[in-house]
Amino acid sequence: MILMNNKTDQISQLQTPKSDSEIRQVWRHLRRNRMAMIGLLILVLFLIVSIFAPMLTQYDPIKLNLINALQAPTSEHIMGTDWQGRDVLTRILYGGRISLAIGFITVVIGLAVGIPVGTISGYYGGKFDLFVQRIIDILIAFPGILLAIVVVTVLGVGVEQVMIAVGISTIPIYTRLVRGSVLSVKEEGYITAAKSLGIGDARIIIRHILPNCLGPIIVMSTFRIATSILWAAGLGFLGLGAQPPDPEWGAMLSNGRVYMRTLPHLVIFPGLAIFFMVLGFNLLGDGLRDALDPRSRKYG
Amino acid sequence: MYGYILRRLLLAIPVLVGVSILVFSIVRFIPGDPARIVAGVHASQEYVERVRAELLLDEPIHLQYYVYMSNLLQGDMGRSSFTRRPVTEELFERFPNTLILTVAAMGIATIFGMGAGIISATRRYSLFDNFTMLFALAGIAIPVFWLGLMFQLLFSVQLGWLPSSGMETWKNLVMPAMTLGLATTALIARITRSSMLDVLGQDYINTARSKGLVERVVVYKHALKNALIPVVTVMGLQFGTLLGGAVLTETVFTWPGIGRLLVDSILTRDYAVVQGAVLLLALLFVLINLLVDIIYALLDPRISYGTQEVD
């Protein structure tokens, strides 16, 4: 499966800034990248409105208000109301919390398993590595969102289940990425020097190898958050993710579909929210990848 | 070369066995009685006991897997608890529809993606190039199910040009294929552009130009062939995304494919069909990747020689 590993392999070769001046250099490069800054701005905006949602709106995202049901956008309800009279903008603001939480928690699940397994696999190699690689091959054999669907089938529906399901589907990607990074870092001269000084494996891994794998991990995480948000919204849309009355964007889209012909705002706005959040992470990820790639930094 | 192909084929076997173990485990991980889960919520106790006996559910797990695999290799995936029809029948009825949709989406993505990428690379920084790059960025961030709904709003509700669902005529295929293919189109456009720009900067292209060759010949005969290798890589990778995306696209357009069957089966707790659909999609994905690996090695002989050296 050469091709399936291609993107992961490319990211695993990125460098990690080792000193303050290198971090500053990466930041300078990132700051000059207009698209990455737009991405960062989008994400900061989403973060602010999600955190301060209760202060930004007077409406409740869950409480029914049937008298106001199915209103087109007005000055009072900028994005209209849904079939239960709830303000769509309010639900989108609160929905940002769910999407961001899903994005970050799935990545944490992926990292929590991917880092130790990938590190041991890459550092020690041997039979454990061979065994892990075969397991990863099996998990990667499920196309796109399918592995998450399989896990949801077993766990049942709901936001927490989606986080676990999407998180599990992220594990093989991180394991492979970390293994690749460890493989390239462990060949560096300073690792050989540390070994010849008699420093133990655990210390070498924690103090010298993992900090040098951070660059690829950060870049991959930025992209994976975007993918996790998309997948979780997809599961919500299919009825396999967040359940009513959770204001999750995918589920909002799915519920708004019934009224799409007469009240298109019910599907337009939640979709735009997903799009911009995913775009923000992708733009930032692209920028970080360029900033951490010494070849592009040199010419940038 | 043959050694490489044989090795790839052999490597696919443990993956397929692993996939079958995972799919076999689905009903055993779901809390509750596996016999009841396979037979269906509304099945009679008598039928549940028959399923229990057929699948050896009271026997050790390795015997259960043995029976599962023996049945599978004979084309027996059990019966749908919903329709009571054999799962294989249900799958093979839907499979061509998913194949048509995926191939059409890949066709659209290849034609438009490569076309836009080539024009962008040859007219760098033009208005077209800027537009293509903007599209490439946006294309991969658009949720496929939302795009489908937006197309339905525009082409069915507003303009009335295309039917919003079903699969009676070729017109029914246009929107689902466009929806499913958009993200791949964006990605192929981006990769083709950067790969073409790489190749167009090479010495042998300058040589071709200095020989007085027409620009069209330089681009299409000399540059494109060499720029294609990374594009083929991405196309191989994208088949998985398309198969995953088909689950969502088929649901939006009520397209009667494997993806929609899978979602419907999960919602109706028809686990025999769920197992069959997941297995078929994963099998398809593994085989496509195997095929693309082989095509890739044929396009670029360094791959197979490189692997031999490493091995």
Side-chain angles (χ1 to χ4, degrees):
Chain A
M1 308 266 154
I2 308 170
L3 306 178
M4 294 164 83
N5 310 332
N6 215 287
K7 189 181 174 190
T8 314
D9 288 349
Q10 278 170 7
I11 294 178
S12 72
Q13 301 305 316
L14 295 176
Q15 281 192 358
T16 303
K18 294 181 183 68
S19 60
D20 284 355
S21 68
E22 274 189 43
I23 293 173
R24 272 197 295 274
Q25 202 185 341
V26 167
W27 170 241
R28 248 201 322 273
H29 192 275
L30 191 67
R31 221 176 39 194
R32 275 208 301 266
N33 185 333
R34 212 183 329 155
M35 297 311 257
M37 284 299 105
I38 293 174
L40 189 63
L41 184 72
I42 293 173
L43 295 178
V44 170
L45 272 176
F46 267 116
L47 198 67
I48 291 172
V49 298
S50 302
I51 293 171
F52 298 106
M55 292 174 205
L56 297 171
T57 170
Q58 53 176 327
Y59 303 106
D60 189 287
I62 295 187
K63 223 166 110 186
L64 310 188
N65 185 2
L66 294 172
I67 300 168
N68 280 334
L70 298 172
Q71 282 185 15
T74 57
S75 57
E76 211 174 321
H77 299 282
I78 300 170
M79 294 185 184
T81 61
D82 68 6
W83 67 103
Q84 294 187 316
R86 296 170 300 201
D87 182 57
V88 173
L89 174 64
T90 303
R91 285 176 66 75
I92 286 180
L93 295 181
Y94 279 90
R97 292 176 170 193
I98 298 180
S99 289
L100 284 171
I102 289 174
F104 283 104
I105 290 172
T106 51
V107 163
V108 169
I109 293 172
L111 288 172
V113 181
I115 289 183
V117 177
T119 307
I120 297 171
S121 192
Y123 189 76
Y124 292 105
K127 281 184 184 157
F128 178 76
D129 182 37
L130 209 66
F131 175 72
V132 168
Q133 288 314 303
R134 294 295 79 81
I135 300 283
I136 301 295
D137 280 344
I138 292 163
L139 294 177
I140 288 182
F142 289 88
I145 198 173
L146 194 64
L147 185 60
I149 291 180
V150 170
V151 182
V152 162
T153 308
V154 174
L155 296 177
V157 295
V159 175
E160 288 85 11
Q161 286 85 337
V162 165
M163 285 177 183
I164 299 171
V166 179
I168 290 175
S169 345
T170 331
I171 291 172
I173 292 149
Y174 276 112
T175 308
R176 191 148 266 174
L177 173 85
V178 174
R179 176 183 176 270
S181 299
V182 171
L183 278 177
S184 66
V185 172
K186 82 170 186 182
E187 299 303 327
E188 298 280 343
Y190 55 86
I191 302 295
T192 320
K195 276 184 186 165
S196 62
L197 284 171
I199 298 174
D201 284 348
R203 201 177 149 89
I204 290 179
I205 289 172
I206 293 167
R207 293 290 293 273
H208 301 286
I209 291 194
L210 284 180
N212 283 300
C213 297
L214 269 183
I217 290 174
I218 292 169
V219 172
M220 180 58 95
S221 299
T222 319
F223 287 124
R224 284 318 302 181
I225 292 174
T227 311
S228 294
I229 291 169
L230 265 183
W231 285 7
L235 290 171
F237 178 77
L238 293 174
L240 305 174
Q243 296 295 302
D246 283 340
E248 195 271 328
W249 295 338
M252 283 172 71
L253 255 172
S254 173
N255 294 325
R257 249 183 103 179
V258 186
Y259 310 97
M260 191 174 78
R261 282 170 189 266
T262 47
L263 296 164
H265 70 273
L266 289 175
V267 292
I268 292 176
F269 294 122
L272 281 176
I274 304 170
F275 167 68
F276 279 112
M277 191 178 270
V278 172
L279 184 70
F281 279 108
N282 280 343
L283 290 177
L284 184 64
D286 275 345
L288 279 170
R289 185 178 50 195
D290 288 348
L292 290 169
D293 185 348
R295 282 167 303 175
S296 76
R297 217 163 52 212
K298 204 159 49 181
Y299 302 109
Chain B
M1 179 63 73
Y2 291 113
Y4 170 79
I5 294 174
L6 188 70
R7 214 166 28 246
R8 282 268 149 254
L9 281 169
L10 289 175
L11 270 174
I13 294 172
V15 172
L16 289 175
V17 171
V19 167
S20 73
I21 292 175
L22 216 98
V23 171
F24 160 81
S25 311
I26 293 176
V27 291
R28 280 145 189 97
F29 280 132
I30 296 170
D33 175 13
R36 167 64 64 188
I37 289 166
V38 173
V41 190
H42 303 293
S44 65
Q45 192 56 38
E46 191 191 354
Y47 184 67
V48 173
E49 292 312 320
R50 213 170 79 200
V51 169
R52 195 190 310 283
E54 273 174 14
L55 301 179
L56 302 184
L57 288 171
D58 289 330
E59 300 296 325
I61 196 90
H62 63 275
L63 277 180
Q64 292 179 32
Y65 179 69
Y66 174 75
V67 170
Y68 171 76
M69 276 311 279
S70 313
N71 289 342
L72 193 64
L73 291 172
Q74 288 168 44
D76 179 7
M77 292 181 169
R79 275 174 187 276
S80 157
S81 65
F82 196 63
T83 61
R84 297 278 180 232
R85 290 173 63 206
V87 173
T88 34
E89 243 179 69
E90 299 256 3
L91 291 178
F92 285 106
E93 209 172 87
R94 308 283 194 112
F95 178 66
N97 301 338
T98 298
L99 200 66
I100 290 170
L101 178 61
T102 319
V103 171
M106 187 50 100
I108 287 177
T110 309
I111 294 167
F112 290 101
M114 277 175 56
I118 295 168
I119 298 172
S120 265
T122 50
R123 295 178 194 169
R124 206 176 174 188
Y125 304 128
S126 65
L127 192 66
F128 183 88
D129 183 30
N130 288 333
F131 176 77
T132 306
M133 285 304 97
L134 195 70
F135 162 75
L137 275 172
I140 47 173
I142 297 179
V144 66
F145 44 96
W146 182 65
L147 182 71
L149 295 178
M150 292 301 103
F151 278 159
Q152 282 179 336
L153 264 179
L154 180 67
F155 295 116
S156 302
V157 180
Q158 296 295 326
L159 301 170
W161 288 354
L162 295 164
S164 63
S165 60
M167 58 168 303
E168 288 80 33
T169 65
W170 64 270
K171 281 185 173 177
N172 292 85
L173 179 63
V174 178
M175 272 201 292
M178 269 165 49
T179 304
L180 185 59
L182 186 103
T184 307
T185 310
L187 204 65
I188 290 181
R190 199 170 160 172
I191 303 292
T192 308
R193 179 184 181 270
S194 73
S195 177
M196 278 294 282
L197 284 175
D198 273 354
V199 173
L200 286 171
Q202 299 288 324
D203 287 343
Y204 63 87
I205 296 294
N206 290 334
T207 312
R209 279 187 182 133
S210 59
K211 277 195 321 193
L213 285 180
V214 187
E215 189 62 17
R216 208 180 49 216
V217 178
V218 174
V219 170
Y220 291 99
K221 204 171 167 197
H222 294 258
L224 186 61
K225 203 174 133 194
N226 290 302
L228 270 183
I229 292 172
V231 181
V232 173
T233 310
V234 170
M235 285 167 69
L237 283 164
Q238 280 303 300
F239 251 108
T241 314
L242 288 182
L243 284 173
V247 178
L248 291 155
T249 312
E250 287 176 3
T251 305
V252 174
F253 293 100
T254 46
W255 184 265
I258 301 279
R260 193 169 152 233
L261 179 70
L262 173 66
V263 175
D264 288 347
S265 308
I266 294 173
L267 294 174
T268 54
R269 296 170 189 271
D270 191 350
Y271 291 110
V273 179
V274 172
Q275 282 182 306
V278 170
L279 188 73
L280 185 62
L281 285 173
L283 178 78
L284 198 65
F285 186 43
V286 171
L287 292 180
I288 288 169
N289 273 291
L290 186 72
L291 196 71
V292 178
D293 272 359
I294 292 169
I295 293 172
Y296 195 41
L298 291 173
L299 269 178
D300 187 353
R302 284 172 303 181
I303 299 294
S304 53
Y305 296 140
T307 313
Q308 271 170 358
E309 275 165 24
V310 171
D311 288 351

